[in-house]
């Protein structure tokens, strides 16, 4: 049976195909001990049973992209290497699991789930693995087979937004942001990852002392970094800080893409403020732009834009090209992006997680993903340029504020491939 790509997911999935981007994520963990493959296999089987609505295969015909049910088992790959989703090697699924030594990777499509949705799957997988491997019995806050599978888990709140006449909606035009490649002259390259470990207690204490959360602090430090390196700018230095929109629309259980972005521009006026005041302004901007009515209205407009594309483009190719332009235009509005799902809250699993990295499609020249678990903060800095200039200046700011860190060697991005299906 054909299942329509939802209003909240279409831009990421179909637009990603249009831009030739693998819109996927690898959640990469190092666990306490070497992975037991037999226990992992049983954990994956139970996780697949708990999320039947994610047993999907992406298809397309002449008119559109769509999903269909996929009863095949989830494939487990014994490798650290980049894999492919949506192909025979992964039974055409939108998610898969890899492991090697003490490393566990959840590879998953960003076209159907955002960070919060992915964490739901990850913690179920980890619970079932740790239950058998380490005797964990507490599954509070974790979706298991003992919990009913509720319809709200698979409903997209964007689909439930009312129709509106977009011709009567004034959508403000915003200028393109300062670009680290086109304006700053950094050398474009294939995506490069720089993973950084920071002690959580010290960083949280430092952030709190300056009226910031870890996420807003990273945003401010990155703005200050770019400003120090490139003070002469004509285009705005603008940050996208990704937030979870579920609380604003009252749909806490959905797995679909349900995020919005806080737009923060580092102006000369903010630059002239003391450090703590800069952080206060960013937090205030986050609160204002997280207003329930504002976020609800943004999602309603986005949902209707998706429906408008359906009317404008009667073919799959036409839809792909329109969504690609929309996705590409949005990315040009930000100098860099920061995303933080929030501190890992499932303490019964924390002792078994030594490292936690979030590797995503790098659709922006500079993007920082943040994870926090077991007393450490894990920054994954994604860049589409060769130079270490931004990284080194960012690290100097940590040095200046007596924040210790460990930087891993550079490596190419390992988020999975997700090729466009054939007709």
């Amino acid at each position: 049976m054909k299942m329509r790509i939802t209003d909240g997911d279409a831009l990421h999935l179909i637009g990603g195909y249009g831009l030739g981007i693998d819109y996927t994520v690898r959640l990469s963990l190092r666990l306490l001990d070497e992975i037991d493959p037999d226990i992992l296999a049983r954990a994956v089987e139970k996780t697949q049973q708990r999320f039947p609505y994610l047993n999907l295969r992406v298809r397309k015909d002449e008119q559109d992209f769509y999903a269909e049910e996929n009863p095949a088992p989830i494939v487990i790959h014994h490798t650290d290497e980049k894999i492919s989703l949506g192909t025979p090697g992964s039974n055409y699924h939108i998610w898969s699991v890899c492991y090697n030594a003490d490393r566990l990777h959840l590879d998953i499509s960003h076209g159907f789930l955002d960070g919060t949705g992915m964490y739901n799957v990850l913690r179920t997988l980890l619970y079932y693995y740790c239950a058998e491997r380490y005797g964990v019995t507490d599954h509070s806050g974790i979706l298991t087979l003992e919990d009913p599978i509720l319809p709200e888990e698979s409903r997209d709140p964007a689909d439930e937004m009312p129709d509106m006449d977009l011709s009567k909606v004034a959508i403000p035009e915003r200028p393109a942001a300062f670009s680290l490649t086109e304006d700053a002259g950094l050398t474009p390259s294939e995506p490069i990852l720089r993973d950084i470990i920071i002690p959580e207690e010290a960083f949280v204490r430092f952030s709190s002392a300056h009226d910031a959360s870890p996420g807003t602090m990273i945003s401010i430090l990155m703005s200050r970094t770019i400003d120090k390196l490139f003070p002469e700018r004509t285009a705005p230095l603008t940050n996208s800080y990704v937030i979870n929109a579920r609380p604003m629309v009252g749909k806490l259980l959905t797995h679909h893409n349900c995020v919005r972005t806080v737009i923060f521009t580092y102006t000369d006026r903010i630059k002239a403020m003391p450090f703590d005041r800069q952080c206060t302004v960013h937090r205030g901007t986050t609160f204002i732009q997280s207003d329930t009515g504002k976020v609800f209205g943004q999602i309603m407009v986005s949902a209707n834009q998706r429906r408008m594309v359906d009317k404008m483009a009667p073919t799959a190719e036409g839809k792909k090209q329109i969504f690609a332009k929309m996705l590409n235009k949005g990315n040009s509005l930000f100098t860099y992006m920061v995303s933080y799902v929030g501190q890992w809250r499932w303490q019964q699993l924390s002792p078994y997680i030594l490292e936690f990295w979030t590797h995503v499609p790098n659709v922006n020249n500079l993007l920082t993903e943040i994870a926090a678990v077991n007393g450490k903060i894990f920054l994954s800095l994604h860049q589409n340029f060769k130079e270490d200039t931004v990284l080194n200046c960012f690290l100097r700011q940590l040095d200046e504020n007596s924040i210790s860190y460990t930087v891993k060697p550079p490596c190419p991005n390992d988020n999975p491939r997700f090729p466009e299906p054939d007709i």
Side-chain angles (χ1 to χ4, degrees):
M1 181 181 69
K2 290 184 178 181
M3 290 178 277
R4 178 177 177 270
I5 305 302
T6 66
D7 289 341
D9 291 342
L11 178 64
H12 295 82
L13 182 72
I14 304 174
Y17 287 142
L19 291 178
I21 293 172
D22 295 311
Y23 227 93
T24 59
V25 174
R26 167 166 279 190
L27 298 177
S28 186
L29 284 69
R30 188 165 71 87
L31 300 186
L32 185 62
D33 299 295
E34 187 167 320
I35 304 296
D36 184 311
D38 294 328
I39 295 176
L40 179 61
R42 290 188 285 272
V44 169
E45 182 180 6
K46 291 174 183 175
T47 302
Q48 181 177 13
Q49 292 172 12
R50 180 54 188 79
F51 299 98
Y53 45 79
L54 297 179
N55 292 329
L56 300 173
R57 176 180 178 177
V58 179
R59 305 296 294 264
K60 76 171 181 179
D61 53 26
E62 292 288 349
Q63 289 74 43
D64 207 348
F65 293 82
Y66 60 94
E68 66 179 18
E69 292 182 5
N70 184 357
I74 295 295
V75 176
I76 302 173
H77 308 264
H78 187 183
T79 183
D80 289 314
E81 298 301 313
K82 190 184 187 86
I83 65 159
S84 294
L85 298 173
T87 62
S90 291
N91 279 343
Y92 297 101
H93 274 290
I94 67 166
W95 69 280
S96 191
V97 173
C98 298
Y99 77 98
N100 192 32
D102 59 354
R103 297 176 295 277
L104 177 67
H105 314 288
L106 174 62
D107 290 323
I108 197 160
S109 169
H110 203 333
F112 293 89
L113 305 93
D114 60 11
T116 299
M118 294 173 195
Y119 268 39
N120 284 340
V121 178
L122 178 65
R123 62 178 179 261
T124 298
L125 174 64
L126 279 176
Y127 167 72
Y128 279 122
Y129 181 80
C130 292
E132 188 171 346
R133 186 77 160 91
Y134 300 110
V136 174
T137 58
D138 178 10
H139 55 83
S140 56
I142 299 171
L143 296 174
T144 69
L145 290 170
E146 297 178 33
D147 303 305
I149 299 173
L150 301 175
E152 291 82 358
E153 296 177 36
S154 55
R155 288 176 181 162
D156 187 339
D159 284 350
E160 300 174 7
M161 291 291 167
D163 290 330
M164 63 187 305
D165 184 354
L166 290 175
S167 67
K168 298 180 180 179
V169 178
I171 301 176
E173 284 289 326
R174 296 180 48 247
F178 179 74
S179 167
L180 291 169
T181 52
E182 295 180 12
D183 299 322
L186 297 179
T187 309
S189 71
E190 291 298 310
I192 300 171
L193 278 173
R194 301 306 304 266
D195 288 335
I196 307 165
I197 304 174
I198 300 174
E200 184 178 26
E201 184 179 357
F203 192 76
V204 169
R205 186 168 58 247
F206 165 66
S207 300
S208 299
H210 291 83
D211 194 28
S213 67
T216 56
M217 175 56 75
I218 294 298
S219 295
I220 285 291
L221 289 177
M222 196 58 73
S223 286
R224 290 164 63 92
T225 293
I226 296 169
D227 178 68
K228 284 177 182 289
L229 291 171
F230 310 105
E232 301 297 327
R233 301 181 305 274
T234 55
L237 198 174
T238 302
N239 161 40
S240 164
Y241 182 58
V242 179
I243 59 171
N244 176 19
R246 287 168 177 77
M248 297 77 162
V249 295
K251 304 294 182 181
L252 299 180
L253 298 180
T254 182
H255 72 77
H256 292 279
N257 285 281
C258 190
V259 298
R260 302 311 298 171
T261 188
V262 171
I263 301 169
F264 180 78
T265 301
Y266 193 74
T267 63
D268 289 341
R269 182 179 179 185
I270 293 173
K271 177 181 177 179
M273 296 177 179
F275 188 18
D276 60 347
R277 187 65 60 82
Q278 294 179 12
C279 296
T280 299
V281 171
H282 195 310
R283 288 199 72 183
T285 301
T286 302
F287 289 138
I288 291 171
Q289 294 188 27
S290 300
D291 173 75
T292 296
K294 183 179 181 68
V295 170
F296 191 94
Q298 290 173 340
I299 293 178
M300 184 163 62
V301 169
S302 295
N304 278 270
Q305 287 175 328
R306 190 274 195 263
R307 297 166 198 170
M308 178 184 67
V309 172
D310 280 345
K311 297 175 183 177
M312 292 172 55
T315 67
E317 186 64 26
K319 293 179 176 68
K320 186 175 72 172
Q321 296 307 318
I322 294 175
F323 281 124
K325 289 179 181 178
M326 292 169 63
L327 190 59
N328 196 46
K329 182 179 180 181
N331 293 328
S332 71
L333 301 178
F334 309 114
T335 307
Y336 69 99
M337 302 178 70
V338 173
S339 179
Y340 180 33
V341 174
Q343 185 186 46
W344 182 264
R345 295 184 286 108
W346 301 275
Q347 298 302 315
Q348 66 268 46
L349 302 176
S350 296
Y352 311 106
I353 304 173
L354 302 184
E355 296 181 8
F356 188 165
W357 306 105
T358 307
H359 297 164
V360 303
N362 198 4
V363 295
N364 188 275
N365 278 325
L366 182 65
L367 185 153
T368 303
E369 285 283 348
I370 309 171
V373 65
N374 205 7
K376 297 182 180 67
I377 292 176
F378 301 93
L379 305 182
S380 290
L381 190 151
H382 305 64
Q383 63 179 60
N384 285 348
F385 47 85
K386 293 181 179 179
E387 294 83 356
D388 287 336
T389 315
V390 174
L391 170 69
N392 292 335
C393 187
F394 175 78
L395 295 177
R396 283 197 297 271
Q397 290 205 72
L398 296 182
D399 291 331
E400 291 167 2
N401 290 286
S402 301
I403 302 296
S404 63
Y405 54 84
T406 302
V407 183
K408 294 205 164 192
C411 63
N413 204 344
D414 57 356
N415 69 302
R417 302 177 190 90
F418 197 7
E420 180 179 340
D422 296 324
I423 293 178

